[in-house]
Amino acid sequence: MKVLLINLTDGGSGSGIAANSLVTELNNEGIEARLGVITKQTVNPNVFILPKKKKSLTFKIFNKFYNINKNIISKIFKIIPNPFKFRTSNEIFHSTNFHSDTDINWINNSDYDVINLHWINGVICNKDIAKITKPIVWTMHDSWPCCGAEHHPNLHENDIRWKNGYFRNNKPRTTKGFDLCRKVWKQKYKYLRNKNIYFTAPTKWESDILKSSYLFKNNKCFTIPNIINHQIFKPKDKENLKKLFNIPDNKIILGFGAAYDIDNPNSLKGGNQLIQLLQKLDKNKYFLVIFGTVSTNFISKLAIDYFSSGFISNQTILSNLYNMCDIFINPSHVESMSYTSLEAASCGVPTIAFNVSGITSIVLHKQTGWLATPYNVDELYEGIDWCLNNYEYLSENCLKKSEIDFNEQKTTQEMIKVYSSVLKD
């Protein structure tokens, strides 16, 4: 069996890490698999740049003209009032994916038996997916396949169009102008609704979203978690790492990411609730380890000492950061799975989070962490003390869950079964 995985990139994002890990494990299991991407970031020999379509002369001329004048064009559109412009209060990331450069003829003429799509925005548009003649498995990294332009259901506004269909009479009141989500959904309906696509989802929550959707409720969907490298994400010597990074050994270490967008209570990464939580802490008792970039606005609101890593692409360094922490904080409002909580658990670090979405597949209340009522900051704060008082029990459970439920070989074999099934269908 030969499998072609397709993703935007092979690193730097949850989907990139997941696809890269999967292609490696598939080859370890004897499956000839490669990962085609638009942007290659790693040295994995099984990853390559996807061939592009040949562009017409008209397109090349138009594209050159646009690239030369795009700043002027952008300024013109900003000056001219446009009542039809798409506007929404929905903070969820939106993608149209109307066009793509990948050469579909090359895919169809290749000797791959199965095509495993991952994050395909900017890689293959819906119209081109419909042209693929080979069996397709689509691995979901969010809910974009069955929504409109939004990458997750619009939970904050109780918008269930992903379930009922995107029509003129059910557009949320907060969506103004051109209904971009409906436009994208209609394209998916036109090209993909009747196509025999098998889906995999990393959590039951994400799988249930697809199975309830208007577009793909009749398609087969298998719940198979993303792969994590247990050779990298594992318990390490906490005290030595603290010395290495100059982290105090007499304070409780709290780790978190998404240190931005703190003024919006509906921020999907929970920055607003996070800063409220941190402002409750005793600065003499706690020290913060901030994963990734951090906004100056966020820093200005902190009164606690911290270490900020900046963007980290090296997974070994990332594992070291988790291992320095006593508790990981994940205040997200929606996650398909939550790689950060899984990485923390694989290092034996419990997570406190809100009881929402795919996070609950990893964080089990009072078993591998603490789940607070959405979006109750006081309950989140209560979880810190509970986790500290039950740390050894939680840490042991985290390691067991990671090793059993997210076992690399088990997960890879489940994917191989799906490939075999779609070939027989």
Side-chain angles (χ1 to χ4, degrees), residues 212-382:
S212 302
S213 72
Y214 192 100
L215 283 176
F216 299 120
K217 59 187 174 184
N218 295 321
N219 291 60
K220 292 183 178 179
C221 183
F222 304 85
T223 303
I224 302 175
N226 292 333
I227 288 175
I228 187 164
N229 190 335
H230 287 95
Q231 297 301 311
I232 295 176
F233 292 97
K234 59 184 179 181
K236 299 177 182 178
D237 190 317
K238 216 180 262 290
E239 298 310 314
N240 282 338
L241 287 172
K242 287 180 180 178
K243 290 178 183 178
L244 181 64
F245 285 89
N246 198 27
I247 304 296
D249 60 2
N250 61 343
K251 291 186 177 183
I252 297 165
I253 312 301
L254 303 178
F256 57 87
Y260 52 84
D261 201 8
I262 62 175
D263 296 322
N264 180 7
N266 289 334
S267 171
L268 293 180
K269 290 299 181 182
N272 178 268
Q273 289 76 29
L274 176 62
I275 199 68
Q276 289 184 56
L277 173 66
L278 299 180
Q279 288 173 344
K280 289 175 172 287
L281 301 178
D282 181 351
K283 67 177 182 179
N284 297 315
K285 185 178 177 181
Y286 294 94
F287 185 89
L288 310 177
V289 172
I290 305 175
F291 293 62
T293 54
V294 55
S295 71
T296 53
N297 187 27
F298 187 95
I299 292 299
S300 68
K301 300 290 176 68
L302 284 181
I304 303 176
D305 291 336
Y306 67 91
F307 166 82
S308 177
S309 69
F311 177 73
I312 300 291
S313 60
N314 185 294
Q315 290 193 310
T316 299
I317 296 175
L318 197 57
S319 172
N320 291 342
L321 296 179
Y322 283 114
N323 271 281
M324 291 190 298
C325 298
D326 297 303
I327 295 173
F328 185 77
I329 306 171
N330 182 355
S332 289
H333 293 198
V334 60
E335 294 271 7
S336 180
M337 188 186 84
S338 179
Y339 247 124
T340 55
S341 294
L342 177 56
E343 289 165 347
S346 301
C347 298
V349 178
T351 293
I352 62 169
F354 293 120
N355 189 10
V356 292
S357 64
I359 296 171
T360 57
S361 68
I362 299 162
V363 185
L364 306 181
H365 188 52
K366 294 186 177 181
Q367 294 183 52
T368 61
W370 177 275
L371 292 174
T373 302
Y375 298 96
N376 191 316
V377 175
D378 289 333
E379 280 192 26
L380 213 57
Y381 179 74
E382 182 185 345

Side-chain angles (χ1 to χ4, degrees), residues 104-131:
I104 299 302
N105 290 328
W106 177 87
I107 293 175
N108 288 334
N109 293 327
S110 71
D111 60 352
Y112 291 104
D113 301 303
V114 178
I115 309 302
N116 184 187
L117 304 177
H118 284 255
W119 174 286
I120 51 83
N121 292 282
V123 186
I124 302 179
C125 65
N126 299 318
K127 185 177 181 179
D128 283 349
I129 292 174
K131 295 177 183 177

Side-chain angles (χ1 to χ4, degrees), residues 122-185:
V123 186
I124 302 179
C125 65
N126 299 318
K127 185 177 181 179
D128 283 349
I129 292 174
K131 295 177 183 177
I132 296 175
T133 57
K134 296 175 181 289
I136 297 175
V137 175
W138 195 341
T139 295
M140 299 174 69
H141 294 283
D142 53 35
S143 305
W144 187 86
C146 60
C147 289
E150 67 275 34
H151 281 254
H152 284 295
N154 186 2
L155 303 175
H156 285 309
E157 298 180 357
N158 296 315
D159 177 8
I160 56 172
R161 291 200 290 175
W162 57 275
K163 184 183 290 187
N164 296 334
Y166 289 64
F167 305 110
R168 287 190 177 92
N169 62 357
N170 65 356
K171 181 174 74 171
R173 293 181 179 180
T174 53
T175 298
K176 307 294 183 182
F178 176 69
D179 192 350
L180 182 66
C181 292
R182 181 169 179 263
K183 172 67 175 177
V184 175
W185 182 86

